[in-house]
Amino acid sequence: MGRPLDLLLRGGTLVDGTGAPAREADIAVVDGRIAVLPAGAPATAAETLDVAGRVVAPGFIDVHTHSDALAAPHGADGGAAEADDGLRLAPLLQGVTTEICGNCGTSLFPSLPERLPELAEHLRVTFGLGPVRPAVDFDAFAAGQDPALRHTHIASLVGHGTLRAGVMGFEARPPRPDELDTMCALLDRALAQGAAGLSTGLIYPPGTYADTEEIVALAGVAARHGKPYVTHLRDEMSQVESALEEALEIAVRSGAPLQISHHKTAGRHAWGATLRTLPRLERARAEGVDVLCDVYPYTAGSTVLHAMLPPWASEGGVGALLERLRRPETRDRIKADIAQGVEGWENTVGNGGWDLISVAAAQTHPEAEGRTIADLAAERGIHPVDQACDLLLAEQGEVTIISHSMREDDVRRVLASPLSMIGSDGVPKPGRPHPRWAGSFARVLGRYTRDEQLLPLESAVHKMTGLPARRFGLTGRGVVRDGAVADLVVLDPASVRDTADFDRPLLTPEGIDTVVVSGQVAARDGRPTSARAGEVVRIR
């Protein structure tokens, strides 16, 4: 090589992210790029790490996060700068070097300038780190990411809910032709600037107010950029199969690649439905639809508490929701809708129960965190809907929950599918966030790969690296090869495991030794260094 190396990883086993068999190799880093050397080749470096007995892999790519605001501008109270740094470090310490945010229809951009104040209130409830400053486009979002807080790289999808609210507010109606044209134009600009694709969250207001035709039009813009349509389906419970058909229709009609977010079949009426949904996806691929999915390795999900309420309750935005919740007649209607169901609404509580919904984050009521809505209601001698409404009012709408709604056999089937990649769906808020934010990747490698042998190690790594890099156009990432970006993870395959749980959700995993971000050692011996090498990734 022409110059001394910056870093040399000597003596390890390379799992390169392609799915190819592991092999012995030394990995060199120079000027932030990789060179793969024969094992034992003569070389000198400014720093040499002996990684014998360890696996060297590409840095993991978390394809599904809600970390948009962790390093973004906040209001005068400090926001992200005051947030627990453990939330920002959790991905890095399990080997993640790139996060893709903007999922489930919610991103920090784009918006018409006059809609920014109303949008900020919506995003405060979603991200929960103080007042959030939304951006007019991807360039403004990228400029707002604070390099001093970026441990990892970040790319962002365009959230359809944000886009819709940023053009037409929170009205439950189809867009007028001029509004749809504006939405398409804002989306086109953001994608041209480097956004990763279009996402929808069709259970969340205002995304739930959109019909199929609206999404087809917008997904067509993504298709023209060669970028995917990424969707939290309209229903992941009793109507998951019809919701999946809608997503496939959107992909076929728009021409966009399709990514099914956190594919699951949740609630007692959908348990076992992966026996049908996964073959349906395989048939669609055989018919020419470019469809893949992602999955997190847990049987519990996490979201905002107000998503447990029927969509009409949120029409008009956060302020209108809170005003409605003060009225007894609103609460009576919510109780009836949960008991009886509403056509086209997922109805998580109706499919499970308030005893399966626990509070993850309630900033001014930390005593509620970790407890179920049913238990909190029983303690007060009130109906669970009243407990949920009272808590939402007390927290100005900002409550995150954990929903225990899935079955292990369904999770295992999706993990094992060749169509799936790994995403944490992490919701990094203070309180007791879901442990998937700190544990997903180590859990797949330890529990499901080594202990249960559900996957070969090479396949598991491919689901975390090469497969997502190809899906999202992350050129030069996700594979260890000459000239690739030097994002790397060194792990002990014999000891890697997650330690985070629902009581201690940010515990650092074991067996992740070293993480390299853009050629800089960002974690050493399982502990963070002072490096801040993360960047905003633009996908062109």
Side-chain angles (χ1 to χ4, degrees):
M1 303 202 52
R3 52 158 285 181
L5 307 174
D6 299 316
L7 177 66
L8 180 63
L9 305 178
R10 175 78 84 180
T13 299
L14 174 61
V15 177
D16 66 9
T18 66
R23 67 186 192 274
E24 302 305 308
D26 293 341
I27 307 302
V29 174
V30 58
D31 291 335
R33 297 283 170 169
I34 290 170
V36 181
L37 308 179
T44 59
E47 180 178 9
T48 298
L49 299 179
D50 180 359
V51 295
R54 302 295 194 260
V55 162
V56 180
F60 303 146
I61 298 167
D62 188 341
V63 299
H64 193 108
T65 82
H66 297 280
S67 58
D68 313 49
L70 275 180
H74 286 244
D77 66 348
E82 298 299 321
D84 182 358
D85 199 48
L87 291 169
R88 287 189 292 271
L89 285 167
L92 177 77
L93 296 180
Q94 61 170 320
V96 171
T97 57
T98 302
E99 302 166 31
I100 300 178
C101 67
N103 282 283
C104 297
T106 304
S107 55
L108 287 182
F109 66 96
S111 174
L112 296 173
E114 60 270 25
R115 291 284 187 183
L116 290 172
E118 181 184 25
L119 187 57
E121 179 70 357
H122 170 66
L123 296 176
R124 173 191 63 79
V125 168
T126 302
F127 294 115
L129 292 166
V132 178
R133 296 176 188 162
V136 294
D137 59 15
F138 181 81
D139 279 351
F141 163 78
Q145 292 287 306
D146 185 347
L149 301 177
R150 281 251 59 92
H151 297 275
T152 61
H153 307 300
I154 194 165
S156 183
L157 300 159
V158 177
H160 159 255
T162 299
L163 174 64
R164 195 179 210 270
V167 172
M168 55 181 292
F170 292 85
E171 297 184 40
R173 61 171 176 82
R176 300 189 307 266
D178 63 303
E179 291 171 327
L180 184 58
D181 288 346
T182 300
M183 290 164 66
C184 288
L186 290 181
L187 174 60
D188 182 71
R189 181 168 71 182
L191 294 171
Q193 291 170 343
L198 169 69
S199 82
T200 57
L202 297 180
I203 73 160
Y204 300 116
T208 190
Y209 306 142
D211 61 17
T212 302
E213 295 302 316
E214 177 181 330
I215 308 302
V216 168
L218 293 166
V221 178
R224 291 197 294 275
H225 287 266
K227 295 180 177 180
Y229 167 56
V230 182
T231 182
H232 179 144
L233 297 174
R234 202 175 291 273
D235 196 318
E236 297 178 314
M237 293 189 159
S238 60
Q239 301 300 312
V240 62
E241 291 174 77
S242 61
L244 185 59
E245 291 303 325
E246 180 191 30
L248 291 167
E249 177 189 346
I250 290 166
V252 169
R253 291 176 58 193
S254 69
L258 174 62
Q259 180 81 9
I260 306 298
S261 293
H262 43 58
H263 183 42
K264 63 175 76 77
T265 54
R268 61 182 180 272
H269 300 301
W271 287 340
T274 53
L275 289 167
R276 298 183 297 278
T277 61
L278 292 170
R280 178 66 184 97
L281 294 180
E282 290 164 0
R283 275 200 317 279
R285 281 194 69 84
E287 294 163 359
V289 181
D290 182 3
V291 58
L292 296 169
C293 66
D294 50 77
V295 59
Y296 51 82
Y298 297 86
T299 57
S302 182
T303 188
V304 288
L305 177 58
H306 68 263
M308 303 298 99
L309 308 180
W312 57 261
S314 293
E315 184 178 358
V318 174
L321 167 68
L322 297 178
E323 183 58 35
R324 287 189 187 98
L325 296 186
R326 301 181 194 280
R327 304 174 193 154
E329 61 270 24
T330 296
R331 298 183 181 204
D332 289 343
R333 184 180 171 190
I334 291 171
K335 293 168 189 174
D337 283 353
I338 289 174
Q340 300 166 12
V342 175
E343 185 176 356
W345 173 46
E346 183 173 85
N347 194 7
T348 298
V349 177
N351 280 283
W354 287 111
D355 58 323
L356 300 178
I357 307 295
S358 60
V359 178
Q363 186 172 354
T364 66
H365 290 74
E367 72 280 359
E369 293 172 354
R371 302 188 62 192
T372 68
I373 297 293
D375 283 347
L376 292 167
E379 187 174 88
R380 296 177 61 203
I382 64 174
H383 193 284
V385 166
D386 292 311
Q387 173 62 42
C389 293
D390 288 349
L391 191 57
L392 284 166
L393 285 168
E395 297 290 337
Q396 291 296 296
E398 188 184 321
V399 183
T400 308
I401 57 96
I402 290 171
S403 172
H404 296 270
S405 58
M406 287 165 273
R407 208 167 66 178
E408 178 69 14
D409 59 334
D410 286 311
V411 173
R412 289 171 59 88
R413 282 187 203 100
V414 183
L415 280 169
S417 169
L419 304 185
S420 71
M421 57 194 76
I422 308 304
S424 71
D425 196 11
V427 183
K429 291 184 178 182
R432 292 194 189 186
H434 195 303
R436 63 194 183 186
W437 180 237
S440 289
F441 291 81
R443 186 175 179 85
V444 171
L445 292 168
R447 176 176 178 176
Y448 290 103
T449 299
R450 180 193 60 240
D451 298 343
E452 300 188 9
Q453 299 186 1
L454 182 66
L455 300 163
L457 178 61
E458 293 89 345
S459 296
V461 169
H462 178 58
K463 288 173 176 285
M464 303 173 176
T465 57
L467 184 59
R470 187 169 70 245
R471 161 54 92 209
F472 289 96
L474 293 166
T475 305
R477 302 175 195 272
V479 177
V480 177
R481 60 164 61 107
D482 290 343
V485 175
D487 295 338
L488 299 162
V489 59
V490 180
L491 62 95
D492 179 359
S495 67
V496 63
R497 70 181 187 97
D498 63 305
T499 65
D501 58 29
F502 290 99
D503 290 325
R504 299 166 298 171
L506 294 180
L507 286 182
T508 301
E510 297 176 357
I512 305 291
D513 298 337
T514 304
V515 184
V516 178
V517 179
S518 287
Q520 298 185 41
V521 178
R524 190 190 306 274
D525 298 323
R527 300 176 63 86
T529 70
S530 61
R532 300 289 188 277
E535 301 174 343
V536 176
V537 178
R538 295 178 185 267
I539 300 168
R540 307 276 191 188

